[in-house]
Amino acid sequence: MATIPLSIAKYIRSMWMAEMIITYLRIDKHGNLVDWGGYPQHYGLTNLATGKPVTEQVGFLEGLLSVPHTQVLQFVRVANGRCAHVHIMPLDNGTYVLMLDATAEHDRQQKMQQQLNELSILTYRQSQWLQELETTRQQLAEEKRLLNEVSELKSRFIATLSHELRSSLTSIVGYTELLDEAKQADVREANYLSSVKNNANHLLSLIDNVLDQAKLEAGQIVLQPSSCDVKQLIADLKPLFFPTAQEKGLAFETDIQPKMPARVILDEWRFRQVLINLITNALNFTEQGFVRITLGWQAGRLEFSVADSGPGISEQAQPKIFAPFHRESTTHALPGAGLGLAISHHIVNLMGGELTVESSLGQGSIFGGFVEASLAQPTASTDENVSTATEAKAKILIVDDNADIRNLMEIYLEDGGYAAITAGDGAEAIILALQTEPDLVLMDMQMPVTSGYEAVQQLRSDNFTKPIIALSASTLAQDKSYALEVGCDHYLVKPVSPEELLNTIEQILLKQHLA
Amino acid sequence: MATLQKKICMIGDFSVGKTSLVARFVRQAFSEKYMTTVGVKIDTKLVKAQDGREVKLILWDIAGNDALTTATTSYLRGAAGFLLVADGTRRPTFDSALNLQKAITAQIGNKPFVVLLNKADLSDQWEIDESLIEEKKQQGWKILSTSAKTGMNVEETFIDLATQMLEA
């Protein structure tokens, strides 16, 4: 390899020296500046004076002189923004300081370091946020758990309250009806009885509404669609409202469009509840004229409306009409807690439909909308078999810890032609059922000591195969599911009318007879 | 008579505000923009210590790091005292400051120092545990909350350290 000519080497050296912008300071052993060279002004070192302490002239050398061996301070940035690598070398009689420019290298390194540091801070902040998010998530999960607990407690409280109220109302309504039938009441006595009955029914309706509202708010209402004869539904509703309409001198009209299918699939009980709420409202508010129910079918939609010739609702009031506990009437006291329309609106939404109001003051109101429904397959009637099956008397075991209800059920059943035996708790029911082999058991589910659930479970594990009807004051869906799960064949909610009770028993016995 | 000169090193993790504290102290300036320091930046300021003596402080603002490197160690030579700076909104920087204190003392011996919990203006994001601060204060440490942004405790800190160095 050829050597570089001396002239070229000198040229390279001069280039390198220029690039380095070298400055040197020679300092004696007392710390005084002996001489200097290069470009000290490049580093802001001006007015250097030999023979004077160097640290007074070059501040950053404070404490750095008298080194035992060469020290290198990298990237020392001095006042005027220039950056140098500072070499401090010991000499026999002092110190030699060499400054080489590092500004360009410093700027390159700073750019890289800046990015690294910024990234590091971002990563740290991100991890802090993630940690905060996780803490918040855990707090929310805990709050949700507590809320669920509270909600569960609330549901249980409502269920217990409902049970107690319904049990008492079952006796009040049942015995009032029996008294009404048994006694040849004069007009005044008939009015008293009627008043007791109406108020008990009103209380019952209030309880139902409050419970429904609570369940809707908690998202606990689950629709149970089944095959429904809409024409029959309206036929069943008519007698409920006709007497009130007649009493007020109102025309009570129903209009079912001819193309209405024979049966459709929907939650009949809930749809019925909506119609009852709307019709009750219409009758409450209308003093003269009419109340008209219209039903129509439009491609998977069951359309309905309840129109009245009542006082109507102002435009300002209409947006609030479906809010819970909203009462529009200011003219006179009306029964109810202002929940009927809110519940109906919610139920209709659950059924995939909508409920709206059209009204103006003095022009009456039309509450209407639609629910989603599908066509049902027609089913064969079993009416012919019913009479055959019910000719025979059956023995029924009534189980209830409430003596009043036990007696009431006994009267209902005996009036219906059945033989009744009774038990006051679950344990007694198990013994009686196994000993007397009744054709059917009517079982209260919430009883002290041995509950209906436990009794049914025990009976089923003892191979008791006869039908068991749960008779409960709880309207909670989970209670019904649990009753059916432990072995009940059917679930009735208190208070139950004699007609509903006898019809249910008849159907179940018939089904078993045919099986 | 020549003015006394003392070298002070600013030490701490990156982005805790060492450069900003010096800028506030020397030039009464503050910038929100973060510019990382590479190597060391030298500044000077003449101050009057608490006993009235004038002292020229040579401020070595050393590049942030969570541990003592060879380069940092070389910058520490000749220091008469140091300021350990932590970012009050980043707990790990306080831990770094505690570790650095041990390492520095091992390198240059016992020198006066003050711990600064900087960015006190961001108190809503504060992450430093008060009980730990109390524990260190019980051991005789001087710990101050500062804000280069507002100037809170900045001047006082340097004067305090200058006084400590003169008394040492």
Tab-separated table of all heavy atoms in Angstrom, chain A residues 144-185:
chain	number	residue	atom	x	y	z
A	144	LYS	N	-70.673	-2.369	40.378
A	144	LYS	CA	-71.715	-3.138	39.691
A	144	LYS	C	-72.169	-4.295	40.577
A	144	LYS	O	-73.359	-4.583	40.689
A	144	LYS	CB	-71.169	-3.668	38.365
A	144	LYS	CG	-72.247	-4.287	37.494
A	144	LYS	CD	-71.660	-4.861	36.228
A	144	LYS	CE	-72.708	-5.700	35.529
A	144	LYS	NZ	-72.140	-6.645	34.610
A	145	ARG	N	-71.161	-4.936	41.210
A	145	ARG	CA	-71.502	-6.061	42.083
A	145	ARG	C	-72.390	-5.585	43.239
A	145	ARG	O	-73.399	-6.208	43.563
A	145	ARG	CB	-70.211	-6.677	42.634
A	145	ARG	CG	-70.388	-7.998	43.346
A	145	ARG	CD	-69.099	-8.436	44.020
A	145	ARG	NE	-68.683	-7.549	45.086
A	145	ARG	CZ	-69.242	-7.485	46.288
A	145	ARG	NH1	-70.246	-8.273	46.593
A	145	ARG	NH2	-68.819	-6.632	47.189
A	146	LEU	N	-72.027	-4.426	43.816
A	146	LEU	CA	-72.821	-3.898	44.924
A	146	LEU	C	-74.228	-3.532	44.453
A	146	LEU	O	-75.220	-3.801	45.135
A	146	LEU	CB	-72.135	-2.671	45.530
A	146	LEU	CG	-70.870	-2.963	46.330
A	146	LEU	CD1	-70.172	-1.678	46.729
A	146	LEU	CD2	-71.210	-3.766	47.587
A	147	LEU	N	-74.265	-2.915	43.251
A	147	LEU	CA	-75.577	-2.540	42.701
A	147	LEU	C	-76.435	-3.778	42.460
A	147	LEU	O	-77.646	-3.771	42.718
A	147	LEU	CB	-75.408	-1.766	41.393
A	147	LEU	CG	-75.058	-0.291	41.546
A	147	LEU	CD1	-74.776	0.325	40.194
A	147	LEU	CD2	-76.212	0.468	42.208
A	148	ASN	N	-75.792	-4.826	41.944
A	148	ASN	CA	-76.535	-6.066	41.717
A	148	ASN	C	-77.065	-6.627	43.026
A	148	ASN	O	-78.190	-7.133	43.073
A	148	ASN	CB	-75.643	-7.113	41.041
A	148	ASN	CG	-75.458	-6.817	39.576
A	148	ASN	OD1	-76.230	-6.036	39.004
A	148	ASN	ND2	-74.454	-7.386	38.964
A	149	GLU	N	-76.218	-6.510	44.054
A	149	GLU	CA	-76.645	-6.996	45.370
A	149	GLU	C	-77.856	-6.210	45.855
A	149	GLU	O	-78.840	-6.774	46.324
A	149	GLU	CB	-75.499	-6.815	46.375
A	149	GLU	CG	-74.678	-8.071	46.579
A	149	GLU	CD	-73.589	-7.854	47.609
A	149	GLU	OE1	-73.813	-7.111	48.589
A	149	GLU	OE2	-72.526	-8.432	47.411
A	150	VAL	N	-77.742	-4.860	45.689
A	150	VAL	CA	-78.845	-3.997	46.122
A	150	VAL	C	-80.094	-4.324	45.306
A	150	VAL	O	-81.206	-4.420	45.838
A	150	VAL	CB	-78.456	-2.504	45.957
A	150	VAL	CG1	-79.647	-1.604	46.188
A	150	VAL	CG2	-77.343	-2.159	46.923
A	151	SER	N	-79.876	-4.483	43.996
A	151	SER	CA	-81.002	-4.781	43.108
A	151	SER	C	-81.664	-6.110	43.499
A	151	SER	O	-82.890	-6.230	43.519
A	151	SER	CB	-80.496	-4.839	41.670
A	151	SER	OG	-81.497	-5.279	40.830
A	152	GLU	N	-80.799	-7.083	43.834
A	152	GLU	CA	-81.314	-8.392	44.238
A	152	GLU	C	-82.109	-8.267	45.536
A	152	GLU	O	-83.199	-8.831	45.680
A	152	GLU	CB	-80.127	-9.354	44.406
A	152	GLU	CG	-80.477	-10.750	44.883
A	152	GLU	CD	-81.315	-11.530	43.874
A	152	GLU	OE1	-81.334	-11.174	42.684
A	152	GLU	OE2	-81.980	-12.477	44.315
A	153	LEU	N	-81.547	-7.478	46.466
A	153	LEU	CA	-82.244	-7.257	47.743
A	153	LEU	C	-83.581	-6.565	47.500
A	153	LEU	O	-84.596	-6.914	48.098
A	153	LEU	CB	-81.389	-6.391	48.674
A	153	LEU	CG	-80.253	-7.102	49.389
A	153	LEU	CD1	-79.402	-6.095	50.158
A	153	LEU	CD2	-80.812	-8.131	50.382
A	154	LYS	N	-83.544	-5.575	46.582
A	154	LYS	CA	-84.766	-4.837	46.266
A	154	LYS	C	-85.809	-5.785	45.671
A	154	LYS	O	-86.974	-5.759	46.061
A	154	LYS	CB	-84.436	-3.717	45.264
A	154	LYS	CG	-85.593	-2.799	44.945
A	154	LYS	CD	-85.137	-1.707	43.985
A	154	LYS	CE	-86.132	-1.560	42.852
A	154	LYS	NZ	-85.684	-0.744	41.762
A	155	SER	N	-85.346	-6.627	44.740
A	155	SER	CA	-86.269	-7.581	44.109
A	155	SER	C	-86.865	-8.505	45.156
A	155	SER	O	-88.071	-8.787	45.144
A	155	SER	CB	-85.542	-8.426	43.070
A	155	SER	OG	-85.073	-7.608	42.061
A	156	ARG	N	-86.001	-8.967	46.069
A	156	ARG	CA	-86.474	-9.880	47.122
A	156	ARG	C	-87.475	-9.175	48.033
A	156	ARG	O	-88.479	-9.735	48.431
A	156	ARG	CB	-85.284	-10.373	47.962
A	156	ARG	CG	-84.562	-11.530	47.349
A	156	ARG	CD	-85.386	-12.808	47.444
A	156	ARG	NE	-85.354	-13.477	46.153
A	156	ARG	CZ	-86.284	-14.323	45.726
A	156	ARG	NH1	-87.333	-14.611	46.458
A	156	ARG	NH2	-86.191	-14.869	44.541
A	157	PHE	N	-87.167	-7.897	48.345
A	157	PHE	CA	-88.058	-7.134	49.215
A	157	PHE	C	-89.420	-6.982	48.541
A	157	PHE	O	-90.469	-7.200	49.154
A	157	PHE	CB	-87.439	-5.763	49.506
A	157	PHE	CG	-88.380	-4.817	50.188
A	157	PHE	CD1	-88.705	-4.993	51.533
A	157	PHE	CD2	-88.964	-3.759	49.506
A	157	PHE	CE1	-89.581	-4.134	52.168
A	157	PHE	CE2	-89.847	-2.906	50.132
A	157	PHE	CZ	-90.152	-3.085	51.469
A	158	ILE	N	-89.366	-6.617	47.257
A	158	ILE	CA	-90.625	-6.434	46.523
A	158	ILE	C	-91.389	-7.756	46.459
A	158	ILE	O	-92.604	-7.798	46.640
A	158	ILE	CB	-90.349	-5.867	45.106
A	158	ILE	CG1	-89.874	-4.420	45.236
A	158	ILE	CG2	-91.584	-5.939	44.233
A	158	ILE	CD1	-89.374	-3.808	43.950
A	159	ALA	N	-90.633	-8.839	46.228
A	159	ALA	CA	-91.288	-10.150	46.128
A	159	ALA	C	-91.944	-10.523	47.460
A	159	ALA	O	-93.075	-11.017	47.495
A	159	ALA	CB	-90.257	-11.205	45.750
A	160	THR	N	-91.233	-10.261	48.557
A	160	THR	CA	-91.783	-10.600	49.869
A	160	THR	C	-93.011	-9.750	50.160
A	160	THR	O	-94.045	-10.252	50.612
A	160	THR	CB	-90.708	-10.357	50.962
A	160	THR	OG1	-89.541	-11.037	50.576
A	160	THR	CG2	-91.169	-10.831	52.315
A	161	LEU	N	-92.871	-8.449	49.857
A	161	LEU	CA	-93.992	-7.534	50.089
A	161	LEU	C	-95.189	-7.967	49.257
A	161	LEU	O	-96.328	-8.019	49.738
A	161	LEU	CB	-93.563	-6.118	49.697
A	161	LEU	CG	-94.472	-4.995	50.122
A	161	LEU	CD1	-94.454	-4.862	51.643
A	161	LEU	CD2	-94.022	-3.672	49.504
A	162	SER	N	-94.886	-8.288	48.008
A	162	SER	CA	-95.946	-8.727	47.102
A	162	SER	C	-96.623	-9.984	47.650
A	162	SER	O	-97.844	-10.111	47.630
A	162	SER	CB	-95.338	-9.005	45.735
A	162	SER	OG	-96.103	-9.926	45.035
A	163	HIS	N	-95.799	-10.898	48.143
A	163	HIS	CA	-96.339	-12.149	48.672
A	163	HIS	C	-97.310	-11.871	49.810
A	163	HIS	O	-98.420	-12.400	49.860
A	163	HIS	CB	-95.181	-13.037	49.157
A	163	HIS	CG	-95.639	-14.319	49.767
A	163	HIS	ND1	-95.802	-14.460	51.127
A	163	HIS	CD2	-96.003	-15.496	49.210
A	163	HIS	CE1	-96.240	-15.682	51.376
A	163	HIS	NE2	-96.355	-16.336	50.233
A	164	GLU	N	-96.877	-11.007	50.722
A	164	GLU	CA	-97.719	-10.713	51.881
A	164	GLU	C	-99.011	-10.023	51.455
A	164	GLU	O	-100.107	-10.384	51.901
A	164	GLU	CB	-96.949	-9.810	52.873
A	164	GLU	CG	-95.747	-10.483	53.494
A	164	GLU	CD	-96.086	-11.801	54.172
A	164	GLU	OE1	-97.068	-11.846	54.936
A	164	GLU	OE2	-95.395	-12.795	53.899
A	165	LEU	N	-98.870	-9.019	50.566
A	165	LEU	CA	-100.057	-8.270	50.142
A	165	LEU	C	-101.020	-9.155	49.360
A	165	LEU	O	-102.234	-9.125	49.563
A	165	LEU	CB	-99.639	-7.068	49.288
A	165	LEU	CG	-98.900	-5.958	50.048
A	165	LEU	CD1	-98.304	-4.955	49.071
A	165	LEU	CD2	-99.861	-5.226	50.985
A	166	ARG	N	-100.438	-9.964	48.460
A	166	ARG	CA	-101.292	-10.814	47.626
A	166	ARG	C	-101.994	-11.879	48.453
A	166	ARG	O	-103.147	-12.223	48.183
A	166	ARG	CB	-100.464	-11.490	46.529
A	166	ARG	CG	-100.169	-10.592	45.403
A	166	ARG	CD	-99.218	-11.203	44.408
A	166	ARG	NE	-99.085	-10.316	43.279
A	166	ARG	CZ	-99.932	-10.258	42.269
A	166	ARG	NH1	-100.965	-11.073	42.242
A	166	ARG	NH2	-99.752	-9.404	41.288
A	167	SER	N	-101.284	-12.405	49.464
A	167	SER	CA	-101.911	-13.424	50.297
A	167	SER	C	-103.133	-12.838	50.995
A	167	SER	O	-104.213	-13.437	51.016
A	167	SER	CB	-100.923	-13.940	51.343
A	167	SER	OG	-99.865	-14.564	50.686
A	168	SER	N	-102.974	-11.629	51.536
A	168	SER	CA	-104.106	-11.004	52.229
A	168	SER	C	-105.221	-10.669	51.250
A	168	SER	O	-106.406	-10.877	51.527
A	168	SER	CB	-103.642	-9.723	52.928
A	168	SER	OG	-102.679	-10.046	53.872
A	169	LEU	N	-104.812	-10.150	50.087
A	169	LEU	CA	-105.837	-9.774	49.098
A	169	LEU	C	-106.582	-10.991	48.557
A	169	LEU	O	-107.757	-10.909	48.221
A	169	LEU	CB	-105.189	-9.009	47.949
A	169	LEU	CG	-104.856	-7.560	48.291
A	169	LEU	CD1	-103.976	-6.949	47.215
A	169	LEU	CD2	-106.140	-6.740	48.430
A	170	THR	N	-105.874	-12.118	48.484
A	170	THR	CA	-106.530	-13.344	48.030
A	170	THR	C	-107.708	-13.650	48.951
A	170	THR	O	-108.823	-13.963	48.483
A	170	THR	CB	-105.534	-14.521	48.072
A	170	THR	OG1	-104.432	-14.185	47.253
A	170	THR	CG2	-106.150	-15.806	47.568
A	171	SER	N	-107.486	-13.530	50.241
A	171	SER	CA	-108.561	-13.793	51.193
A	171	SER	C	-109.664	-12.748	51.063
A	171	SER	O	-110.848	-13.090	51.019
A	171	SER	CB	-108.010	-13.764	52.619
A	171	SER	OG	-107.169	-14.857	52.806
A	172	ILE	N	-109.263	-11.479	50.981
A	172	ILE	CA	-110.280	-10.403	50.927
A	172	ILE	C	-111.164	-10.556	49.694
A	172	ILE	O	-112.394	-10.591	49.782
A	172	ILE	CB	-109.602	-9.014	50.929
A	172	ILE	CG1	-108.883	-8.799	52.266
A	172	ILE	CG2	-110.623	-7.905	50.697
A	172	ILE	CD1	-107.966	-7.591	52.300
A	173	VAL	N	-110.502	-10.685	48.517
A	173	VAL	CA	-111.280	-10.789	47.268
A	173	VAL	C	-112.125	-12.062	47.267
A	173	VAL	O	-113.325	-12.041	46.969
A	173	VAL	CB	-110.334	-10.757	46.037
A	173	VAL	CG1	-111.091	-11.043	44.761
A	173	VAL	CG2	-109.628	-9.419	45.942
A	174	GLY	N	-111.501	-13.160	47.657
A	174	GLY	CA	-112.194	-14.465	47.609
A	174	GLY	C	-113.384	-14.505	48.534
A	174	GLY	O	-114.503	-14.866	48.110
A	175	TYR	N	-113.171	-14.104	49.779
A	175	TYR	CA	-114.275	-14.179	50.739
A	175	TYR	C	-115.363	-13.162	50.418
A	175	TYR	O	-116.538	-13.410	50.644
A	175	TYR	CB	-113.749	-13.988	52.167
A	175	TYR	CG	-113.091	-15.252	52.694
A	175	TYR	CD1	-111.718	-15.310	52.915
A	175	TYR	CD2	-113.849	-16.401	52.924
A	175	TYR	CE1	-111.108	-16.466	53.357
A	175	TYR	CE2	-113.238	-17.567	53.387
A	175	TYR	CZ	-111.876	-17.604	53.605
A	175	TYR	OH	-111.279	-18.745	54.041
A	176	THR	N	-114.980	-12.014	49.891
A	176	THR	CA	-116.003	-11.030	49.508
A	176	THR	C	-116.896	-11.605	48.415
A	176	THR	O	-118.120	-11.473	48.448
A	176	THR	CB	-115.334	-9.733	49.012
A	176	THR	OG1	-114.378	-9.329	49.969
A	176	THR	CG2	-116.351	-8.629	48.836
A	177	GLU	N	-116.264	-12.259	47.443
A	177	GLU	CA	-117.051	-12.869	46.363
A	177	GLU	C	-117.968	-13.953	46.916
A	177	GLU	O	-119.139	-14.059	46.532
A	177	GLU	CB	-116.112	-13.432	45.295
A	177	GLU	CG	-115.702	-12.359	44.306
A	177	GLU	CD	-114.611	-12.796	43.360
A	177	GLU	OE1	-114.175	-13.961	43.446
A	177	GLU	OE2	-114.182	-11.949	42.559
A	178	LEU	N	-117.430	-14.768	47.820
A	178	LEU	CA	-118.240	-15.834	48.412
A	178	LEU	C	-119.412	-15.250	49.193
A	178	LEU	O	-120.542	-15.724	49.094
A	178	LEU	CB	-117.378	-16.695	49.347
A	178	LEU	CG	-116.380	-17.635	48.670
A	178	LEU	CD1	-115.536	-18.341	49.711
A	178	LEU	CD2	-117.113	-18.662	47.806
A	179	LEU	N	-119.112	-14.181	49.928
A	179	LEU	CA	-120.157	-13.524	50.717
A	179	LEU	C	-121.232	-12.971	49.804
A	179	LEU	O	-122.443	-13.095	50.064
A	179	LEU	CB	-119.512	-12.389	51.524
A	179	LEU	CG	-120.263	-11.862	52.731
A	179	LEU	CD1	-120.521	-12.984	53.730
A	179	LEU	CD2	-119.450	-10.755	53.407
A	180	ASP	N	-120.766	-12.385	48.716
A	180	ASP	CA	-121.683	-11.794	47.735
A	180	ASP	C	-122.609	-12.852	47.153
A	180	ASP	O	-123.805	-12.637	46.971
A	180	ASP	CB	-120.847	-11.144	46.627
A	180	ASP	CG	-121.653	-10.142	45.837
A	180	ASP	OD1	-122.724	-9.739	46.330
A	180	ASP	OD2	-121.212	-9.761	44.740
A	181	GLU	N	-122.031	-14.026	46.886
A	181	GLU	CA	-122.834	-15.117	46.302
A	181	GLU	C	-123.737	-15.752	47.353
A	181	GLU	O	-124.891	-16.077	47.085
A	181	GLU	CB	-121.894	-16.192	45.744
A	181	GLU	CG	-121.245	-15.784	44.447
A	181	GLU	CD	-120.107	-16.727	44.079
A	181	GLU	OE1	-120.030	-17.843	44.645
A	181	GLU	OE2	-119.270	-16.329	43.235
A	182	ALA	N	-123.224	-15.897	48.584
A	182	ALA	CA	-123.958	-16.646	49.597
A	182	ALA	C	-125.094	-15.836	50.202
A	182	ALA	O	-126.154	-16.366	50.528
A	182	ALA	CB	-122.995	-17.091	50.693
A	183	LYS	N	-124.879	-14.539	50.337
A	183	LYS	CA	-125.830	-13.735	51.089
A	183	LYS	C	-126.834	-13.066	50.152
A	183	LYS	O	-126.478	-12.603	49.075
A	183	LYS	CB	-125.042	-12.662	51.861
A	183	LYS	CG	-125.823	-11.936	52.906
A	183	LYS	CD	-124.883	-11.061	53.718
A	183	LYS	CE	-125.622	-9.932	54.434
A	183	LYS	NZ	-126.722	-10.358	55.258
A	184	GLN	N	-128.061	-13.037	50.550
A	184	GLN	CA	-129.066	-12.291	49.796
A	184	GLN	C	-128.957	-10.839	50.255
A	184	GLN	O	-129.694	-10.375	51.119
A	184	GLN	CB	-130.483	-12.844	50.095
A	184	GLN	CG	-130.704	-14.266	49.623
A	184	GLN	CD	-130.534	-14.407	48.103
A	184	GLN	OE1	-131.099	-13.627	47.339
A	184	GLN	NE2	-129.777	-15.415	47.679
A	185	ALA	N	-127.976	-10.129	49.731
A	185	ALA	CA	-127.704	-8.799	50.244
A	185	ALA	C	-128.730	-7.786	49.747
A	185	ALA	O	-129.181	-7.876	48.601
A	185	ALA	CB	-126.318	-8.373	49.803
